[in-house]
Amino acid sequence: RAVQERAARLGPMNARGQLWEVVGGSEKGGIVVREAVGFKSAILLERLATGSLVRELDHISCRLQYELVRGQGPPTGWVSTSVAGGKDLLEPRSKTANHAPCTSDDRAPGKRTDTGSARLREHEAPQGSRD
């Protein structure tokens, strides 16, 4: 229900959301999903499976809030789109999507996306973050 309310507030363009495919995590059974945007937020027990298709709900720096469209994993959560060093964990299905690799600077508190639509909560990534 919260997802539907958020989509209604954002309007028709964002209600549809960009589609992303999970391309990373095959060697670990999928990618880590967190409860909230911050790197110190709780890690969900289930991983988002490689090959899954998700719809973007929010995109803050290299963090993506999603809802599961197809595949296996939590129905919603926060994931990293790439790891520091540039390896993609998710790829946008549209070639026109705004997608930049994560850097160590992206894990700093208060980092904003290019759109400036939202702000990362003030959580710093621990050294050697698993995301």
Side-chain angles (χ1 to χ4, degrees):
R1 178 179 169 123
V3 169
Q4 293 167 338
E5 289 172 1
R6 177 172 166 62
R9 282 195 321 268
L10 291 173
M13 181 71 112
N14 288 326
R16 288 189 298 263
Q18 167 68 38
L19 293 177
W20 295 74
E21 184 174 354
V22 180
V23 296
S26 60
E27 63 283 349
K28 295 183 179 182
I31 62 173
V32 171
V33 180
R34 291 187 181 268
E35 190 174 272
V37 67
F39 289 99
K40 290 185 179 179
S41 68
I43 295 175
L44 302 182
L45 294 176
E46 189 177 9
R47 288 177 174 251
L48 185 58
T50 305
S52 294
L53 189 65
V54 298
R55 183 176 318 280
E56 177 181 323
L57 300 176
D58 203 354
H59 193 182
I60 303 173
S61 189
C62 63
R63 302 289 288 160
L64 182 80
Q65 183 183 29
Y66 75 89
E67 77 176 322
L68 185 63
V69 173
R70 183 185 72 226
Q72 295 181 327
T76 188
W78 285 89
V79 294
S80 293
T81 57
S82 63
V83 294
K87 181 180 176 187
D88 286 337
L89 298 176
L90 290 102
E91 289 182 349
R93 294 293 291 263
S94 167
K95 296 192 186 320
T96 61
N98 179 15
H99 174 53
C102 288
T103 66
S104 58
D105 290 343
D106 289 324
R107 296 172 185 265
K111 180 71 178 178
R112 296 170 66 100
T113 60
D114 291 340
T115 62
S117 64
R119 184 181 286 265
L120 266 175
R121 292 190 186 144
E122 293 178 339
H123 296 281
E124 292 186 45
Q127 293 296 324
S129 174
R130 297 187 330 216
D131 292 354

